[in-house]
Amino acid sequence: MTQIPACLHPPTRRAGRPNFTRLPAGVPFGLLALLLGGLLGCAGGPVSEPKHLRFAEQVLGTAEEELAWNFHALLEYKNTDNDLPAAPADTRPTPGGAAPDGGQRARRPPDFCRLAPRQPGEIEVRGLGLHFPGYLLGVEKTSRQTLGLLGGPFGACSDSDSEDIFRQAFLRVPLRTGGGFDDPTCLLKRRLDDRRRMFLSHVVAFRTLHANATTRIGGAVLYDVYARNDLLCTIQQAAATGQPPAWEKGAFFAGRAQGLAELENALRADLLSAQQSGKPYSHVFVYVMGWNTGEAASIENFNALFGYLLDAAAVDASAGSHFRPLFIGLTWPSTWSFGTSAWDQFVRGVSFWNKKNDADELGTTWANYLVNEVLTRIKQEHERLRVVLVGHSFGARAVSRALYSCPWLATPGDCQNTVDLVVGLQSAFGRSRFRHGLSPAWQEAIAVHPMHHEGIPYTDYSQFAAYRAKQAYLWSRYDSATSLSAMIGGNNEVERTRAPGNQDLFQHLDDPAAGDDRSPLPPSSEVISRVRQLAAHDRRVLLIDGAGFVRYDTPYHGGDAHSDIYTRETGQLTWELVKKYAPSAPPSSRAK
């Protein structure tokens, strides 16, 4: 029988029930306080030890309380932290003779150089995850010195280190096209000069498990920088000498060389297995969420957005049996705080400019590598495979930036023909990205600080008409977030796109009640069904008025209807766009 510590034994009392009505006011609360104090005072067991993951966070510079957890929430549920050999305890006495922790044995950081790297097959995830087969890629931020990256911060465009900065980002240095803050090269160099840079920290595959009679979805970690003890060793040794690690031996390089390679190998295996089974995959979807969205919330949003799309396809007889999509979700460090205080609200607001720049960096680097390298090679082997990018808010900024970033790659290949469809939901980027004169001059010159300037990266470098992709962007007059910040997802950004001189660039799918607040809004089904009437060959940028269903405030999100997109209607709209602009081909006609 379990023995109760003496300090927890109840005091001896007389039989019968106490009459608390006879006690002075406040006595029961005082007794409760004494009891709680006794419980805390007599606690004499050993203190719990920090996870191996906590020490790896310290080495990589990502140990920032709730931020670290939110940016790699999946990794909290991996199965390896508790079976690693314990690091030696710190038993060095203090000058007073006591142990440094007051009698407890404190765990010291391990010497990662003495630990073997964990193999991908060893690491599983049981916790957060997708409701369907697919992949999740996690991107985080740390100091550029920790990653072994040269340059920064805030160097001039003409700095001699430009070539190194672009080379270490696996990008070429293109010729400058106009100079000034609109110059795409200068614009991107300012993003890559950030004091903290993004790196790929983990890749997790979610597949159907058939280990027993219960069918379920399980996560297998393909790449985990926090389990790469060889990388952690390199950073530890470099820190001990006060020097940054070598770039080609660091975490940024490893993310592209090993992390994305593991993903590409897994995608090839999935596609081959599906093809051999007679049920080949028809599409690859890449989703990215927006500002102030951690990894756990992103996974929730992925499940809603893609789940509603799958629902719409399931009840559509025209989908047939050959719509078999594969999902890839990309998470990124999109906020400075997840707290709820007034100070946290202020911090999140101030982070707007930094995070919109981060979305550009994400689109030009990791989303670019994923789409224009990995998926380009995959699609060249499976020519009928369709590729669809979907982003919300700053996520739409990232996926559109990825679309237009393939010319920055050292060997672009055929990436202009990789993406078939881009769907932006309440997109948080300016219309000036497509063409000069689409934003007021005062807005570009005064309201937007040059370090955060929108620039025109979509026009000067990409020649968007040469791209295969159809772009469709949902907007709503009820979205105050993008309207206030002059982004294309709000009402104020749409008007100039209707000018006669812009009809070659923009196509509109309007709400019949637009411009008349007294008119009842049409049902969502009317606007969505009108996608079927559009010409499939029209490659102009499509702006869709979604006020009929993007109109309700979403709790704890802000921006009024900015986040009113995790709905059945959004899934139906996305499905109609996929059918129109990225239709799947019957398996019999699929190449290879």
Side-chain angles (χ1 to χ4, degrees):
M1 186 175 70
T2 302
Q3 298 294 317
I4 302 176
C7 68
L8 294 184
H9 278 287
T12 304
R13 62 177 177 83
R14 297 178 183 178
R17 301 176 63 183
N19 187 348
F20 288 106
T21 60
R22 295 184 179 180
L23 294 176
V27 169
F29 300 102
L31 291 175
L32 178 60
L34 289 173
L35 177 60
L36 290 175
L39 288 172
L40 295 174
C42 71
V47 295
S48 61
E49 294 184 349
K51 280 187 174 184
H52 178 87
L53 181 59
R54 301 286 85 83
F55 294 115
E57 289 169 351
Q58 293 174 15
V59 172
L60 282 164
T62 58
E64 299 182 38
E65 299 179 357
E66 79 275 20
L67 291 181
W69 186 91
N70 275 281
F71 295 152
H72 59 235
L74 277 174
L75 300 184
E76 291 292 330
Y77 300 96
K78 63 184 184 180
N79 67 333
T80 56
D81 268 350
N82 292 340
D83 63 357
L84 285 169
D90 189 356
T91 56
R92 295 169 296 173
T94 61
D101 55 3
Q104 303 293 344
R105 291 167 62 84
R107 185 179 176 188
R108 291 186 298 176
D111 180 358
F112 287 100
C113 299
R114 300 175 62 182
L115 299 177
R118 306 306 295 248
Q119 299 302 313
E122 296 181 66
I123 307 173
E124 297 174 331
V125 170
R126 300 291 182 266
L128 294 175
L130 300 175
H131 292 169
F132 33 76
Y135 296 86
L136 288 172
L137 281 66
V139 172
E140 299 184 55
K141 288 186 76 172
T142 190
S143 70
R144 62 187 309 114
Q145 288 77 18
T146 298
L147 299 172
L149 297 175
L150 300 174
F154 311 128
C157 186
S158 59
D159 280 355
S160 59
D161 61 359
S162 292
E163 185 173 347
D164 287 332
I165 290 174
F166 280 89
R167 176 183 57 82
Q168 289 190 333
F170 302 103
L171 304 173
R172 67 183 180 89
V173 183
L175 295 175
R176 297 182 64 183
T177 59
F181 288 106
D182 274 341
D183 184 88
T185 304
C186 296
L187 184 78
L188 180 55
K189 184 178 183 293
R190 290 195 295 273
R191 305 300 178 256
L192 300 180
D193 260 344
D194 198 348
R195 183 178 61 87
R196 294 171 63 82
R197 285 285 304 280
M198 295 187 188
F199 68 100
L200 181 66
S201 69
H202 55 283
V203 179
V204 182
F206 287 88
R207 301 186 176 103
T208 303
L209 301 179
H210 301 287
N212 50 43
T214 302
T215 301
R216 55 197 177 114
I217 299 288
V221 179
L222 303 182
Y223 176 78
D224 176 9
V225 72
Y226 296 98
R228 286 289 304 272
N229 296 320
D230 54 336
L231 291 175
L232 299 174
C233 167
T234 297
I235 298 171
Q236 262 186 336
Q237 290 179 329
T241 64
Q243 299 295 322
W247 167 70
E248 63 274 11
K249 295 183 179 180
F252 188 93
F253 186 95
R256 184 172 179 270
Q258 284 91 45
L260 290 182
E262 292 289 347
L263 171 67
E264 186 170 345
N265 292 336
L267 284 170
R268 280 199 171 93
D270 284 347
L271 289 164
L272 178 60
S273 175
Q275 187 176 37
Q276 291 175 342
S277 71
K279 298 179 179 179
Y281 284 108
S282 60
H283 294 73
V284 174
F285 285 80
V286 178
Y287 276 66
V288 184
M289 303 317 301
W291 189 31
N292 294 325
T293 309
E295 186 169 71
S298 292
I299 293 171
E300 177 184 0
N301 297 340
F302 294 152
N303 284 326
L305 288 170
F306 197 62
Y308 282 125
L309 183 151
L310 295 177
D311 290 344
V315 298
D316 189 337
S318 66
S321 60
H322 48 268
F323 176 66
R324 297 195 68 242
L326 192 58
F327 179 90
I328 300 175
L330 184 61
T331 68
W332 61 289
S334 60
T335 190
W336 280 349
S337 174
F338 287 96
T340 58
S341 68
W343 173 251
D344 290 305
Q345 299 283 2
F346 171 77
V347 168
R348 279 196 290 275
V350 171
S351 75
F352 173 85
W353 290 273
N354 178 269
K355 291 307 165 185
K356 78 182 185 70
N357 293 346
D358 281 354
D360 281 336
E361 179 188 341
L362 177 69
T364 316
T365 55
W366 294 105
N368 187 13
Y369 311 149
L370 168 64
V371 173
N372 296 318
E373 290 184 329
V374 173
L375 295 184
T376 291
R377 290 190 288 264
I378 292 290
K379 189 166 183 176
Q380 288 171 347
E381 299 169 5
H382 301 268
E383 295 176 359
R384 298 299 181 90
L385 189 70
R386 304 292 184 247
V387 176
V388 180
L389 311 182
V390 182
H392 171 236
S393 190
F394 281 162
R397 187 187 191 99
V399 296
S400 59
R401 196 66 179 87
L403 173 71
Y404 289 122
S405 292
C406 80
W408 293 88
L409 297 172
T411 54
D414 193 38
C415 55
Q416 287 187 342
N417 292 316
T418 297
V419 178
D420 297 276
L421 173 65
V422 177
V423 180
L425 307 172
Q426 309 311 117
S427 305
F429 63 83
R431 58 195 165 195
S432 62
R433 298 205 147 201
F434 290 109
R435 176 171 288 171
H436 280 295
L438 287 175
S439 289
W442 68 266
Q443 196 176 85
E444 293 290 350
I446 300 175
V448 182
H449 189 279
M451 293 302 295
H452 310 290
H453 188 59
E454 282 282 322
I456 46 174
Y458 298 170
T459 54
D460 278 10
Y461 248 92
S462 61
Q463 297 296 314
F464 87 95
Y467 279 66
R468 175 177 179 169
K470 174 70 175 182
Q471 298 179 70
Y473 296 104
L474 181 69
W475 67 275
S476 171
R477 73 193 73 169
Y478 298 106
D479 177 357
S480 65
T482 50
S483 294
L484 180 64
S485 54
M487 300 295 178
I488 205 166
N491 189 54
N492 68 337
E493 280 287 280
V494 173
E495 294 311 311
R496 291 192 179 212
T497 63
R498 302 182 191 276
N502 294 320
Q503 291 178 355
D504 64 319
L505 179 58
F506 294 104
Q507 174 188 17
H508 293 85
L509 184 59
D510 289 325
D511 173 354
D516 185 356
D517 291 336
R518 296 170 298 176
S519 301
L521 289 167
S524 58
S525 58
E526 180 179 337
V527 177
I528 294 170
S529 64
R530 289 175 61 196
V531 173
R532 302 170 192 159
Q533 304 169 18
L534 300 175
H537 64 272
D538 193 330
R539 282 296 180 266
R540 289 179 297 169
V541 176
L542 174 62
L543 301 180
I544 303 171
D545 184 351
F549 58 95
V550 182
R551 57 186 304 193
Y552 299 107
D553 176 61
T554 305
Y556 307 109
H557 284 74
D560 292 319
H562 181 66
S563 294
D564 187 25
I565 48 105
Y566 308 109
T567 60
R568 172 178 53 86
E569 292 86 353
T570 304
Q572 291 173 336
L573 172 64
T574 308
W575 169 239
E576 291 296 335
L577 292 169
V578 169
K579 284 199 304 176
K580 174 64 65 173
Y581 300 109
S584 55
S588 59
S589 66
R590 188 169 302 281
K592 300 185 180 181

